[in-house]
Amino acid sequence: MQANGFDGKGIKIAIIDDGFLNVDINPAFNDSRKQILDTFNLVPSVGGIYEDGSHGACCLSIIAGKLADEFIGSAIGSYYYLIRAED
């Protein structure tokens, strides 16, 4: 997709899930971390958005993950809202 110019540039994507474990420190998100526009934690009683729940991080990796010579997500040019709504 990237070879044909499709990288999600200018698109805003909201991911609503159980958390985004280690997205703030995982090297696969080094390039896309600056494109996270905001985070929301709708269940603060179970921890921070980056402290628990890996399913959201897995979904984000498909969209925004990037590891040189290994993997490039399908929408690495997009902007992201990360929303924790499940415990």
Side-chain angles (χ1 to χ4, degrees), residues 1-9 61-66 71-78 80:
M1 290 181 359
Q2 285 84 11
N4 290 316
F6 298 104
D7 68 355
K9 185 175 182 178
S61 72
I62 295 167
I63 300 167
K66 184 176 180 184
F71 179 81
I72 298 176
S74 60
I76 58 171
S78 297
Y80 316 100

Side-chain angles (χ1 to χ4, degrees), residues 32-66:
S32 58
R33 201 171 292 118
K34 63 185 173 285
Q35 292 158 236
I36 297 172
L37 298 176
D38 211 346
T39 63
F40 302 92
N41 188 358
L42 304 179
V43 278
S45 62
V46 295
I49 195 163
Y50 298 125
E51 297 170 7
D52 192 25
S54 62
H55 191 267
C58 292
C59 293
L60 182 63
S61 72
I62 295 167
I63 300 167
K66 184 176 180 184

Side-chain angles (χ1 to χ4, degrees), residues 15 22 39 43 70-71 79 86:
I15 301 174
N22 295 331
T39 63
V43 278
E70 289 185 45
F71 179 81
Y79 294 98
E86 303 172 26

